Amino acid sequence: MAKIIVITSGKGGVGKTTTSAAFATGLAMRGYRTVVIDFDVGLRNLDLIMGCERRVVYDFINVINDEAKLAQALIKDKRVENLYILPASQTRDKDALTLEGVERVLTDLSREFDFIVCDSPAGIERGAHLAMYFADSAIVVTNPEVSSVRDSDRILGILSSKTRRAENGQASPSEHLLLTRYSPERVVKGEMLSVDDVREILAIPLLGVIPESQAVLRASNAGIPVIIDQESDAAQAYSDAVSRFLGEKTPFRFINPEKKSFLKRLFGQKEREVA
């Protein structure tokens, strides 16, 4: 049976879909058969970040409504073996998602895959609730700012009380914190919360810290999951997070300000003087 992972957040725009694409790709790169599902009905963009928007013929809602077979809606990634995408509908609304339909699709996928990654809409509406309802694990994505962290705390409350596991008296889904758009230099200036600040507020295990990076925007615009660009700091940070999720002991990077060498400081000073 597959392990179901929900990528969730309380606030929009924190990098949740970027994380879903990167995390699913990272698992597939490790050899696990992985499918990533877009639960954001009506506002889909996972297919854009995965670079398969022109290949969408049938979608998640078509499968739920028996308008298409699951095999017809699944899109096989062209770059990474073992990776598949199930896109959301762009023309329906979130009421088209039903508990019974989602359960049936997840059950069918569980027979074929090792991991099912659910890209949840932000917030607490129907699509978000259904994305997390069947989860075994939850990756809570947050930015290092007070409003984002506060909203993530609310999501943790839902995970502990409104999932199938909670209703059945089982342990709630395992919770993992992923901190995105982190800048140690801005933390030093007091412009954003530190890793320790966020951990103290949310009190869940830290899975990864993704640095503020232009590589994320470049990858999204190119339709390539950022984790594929292994030269970038963001890709390395996502790869580290996947390793930790799989139980590997991996030290954290990109948490402390970069220590510049004497030459870097010297040339940086000269550039400022010229400017």
Side-chain angles (χ1 to χ4, degrees):
M1 292 291 286
K3 185 167 189 176
I4 301 173
I5 307 166
V6 62
I7 313 291
T8 184
S9 68
K11 185 180 178 184
V14 299
K16 178 177 45 52
T17 298
T18 295
T19 296
S20 297
F23 209 82
T25 302
L27 290 169
M29 289 168 69
R30 300 295 188 94
Y32 295 99
R33 281 181 58 81
T34 305
V35 58
V36 55
I37 307 175
D38 191 346
F39 273 79
D40 202 353
V41 177
L43 295 171
R44 76 178 190 213
N45 59 13
L46 177 66
D47 55 311
L48 293 172
I49 290 179
M50 298 295 294
C52 64
E53 68 276 9
R54 295 181 182 178
R55 298 170 61 199
V56 177
V57 178
Y58 295 108
D59 56 54
F60 192 10
I61 301 302
N62 291 139
V63 178
I64 287 177
N65 291 341
D66 289 321
E67 297 163 351
K69 300 292 186 184
L70 183 57
Q72 292 176 288
L74 284 174
I75 300 172
K76 189 178 189 305
D77 190 83
K78 291 183 176 181
R79 295 163 300 234
V80 180
E81 192 70 23
N82 300 316
L83 179 60
Y84 291 78
I85 302 96
L86 181 57
S89 171
Q90 208 165 16
T91 58
R92 313 287 182 93
D93 60 35
K94 292 176 176 60
D95 289 336
L97 287 171
T98 65
L99 187 68
E100 297 76 15
V102 170
E103 181 174 22
R104 176 166 51 83
V105 172
L106 293 178
T107 299
D108 290 345
L109 289 171
S110 292
R111 299 189 184 102
E112 299 182 40
F113 291 92
D114 300 309
F115 288 102
I116 300 170
V117 178
C118 301
D119 179 24
S120 169
I124 56 174
E125 43 75 40
R126 183 173 182 80
H129 177 242
L130 289 174
M132 69 177 71
Y133 183 77
F134 297 99
D136 300 306
S137 297
I139 297 175
V140 180
V141 183
T142 187
N143 291 158
E145 56 183 56
V146 173
S147 61
S148 180
V149 174
R150 180 194 61 197
D151 290 347
S152 293
D153 203 20
R154 189 174 184 188
I155 292 297
L156 293 175
I158 294 172
L159 285 167
S160 65
S161 61
K162 291 189 176 182
T163 61
R164 180 171 63 175
R165 283 172 164 265
E167 290 178 0
N168 292 339
Q170 300 173 300
S172 59
S174 60
E175 299 163 342
H176 309 269
L177 170 64
L178 191 81
L179 193 56
T180 55
R181 297 177 183 165
Y182 191 75
S183 170
E185 290 76 19
R186 292 182 63 192
V187 170
V188 171
K189 294 177 182 178
E191 296 175 354
M192 62 173 53
L193 298 175
S194 70
V195 171
D196 289 340
D197 290 334
V198 178
R199 293 179 70 177
E200 183 176 348
I201 295 169
L202 296 181
I204 59 174
L206 181 65
L207 183 66
V209 177
I210 312 301
E212 204 167 37
S213 174
Q214 289 297 315
V216 174
L217 181 59
R218 288 197 302 269
S220 296
N221 287 338
I224 301 171
V226 67
I227 198 170
I228 290 178
D229 176 17
Q230 284 295 305
E231 296 301 314
S232 72
D233 50 2
Q236 294 167 28
Y238 273 118
S239 184
D240 289 350
V242 172
S243 296
R244 293 187 197 98
F245 185 83
L246 295 173
E248 301 173 21
K249 291 185 177 180
T250 305
F252 285 93
R253 297 186 277 180
F254 315 113
I255 290 180
N256 300 311
E258 180 184 359
K259 292 183 179 179
K260 294 184 178 180
S261 66
F262 172 75
L263 289 176
K264 282 187 176 181
R265 294 197 303 272
L266 177 63
F267 284 115
Q269 179 64 35
K270 285 185 176 181
E271 287 175 1
R272 287 194 294 272
E273 289 175 354
V274 170

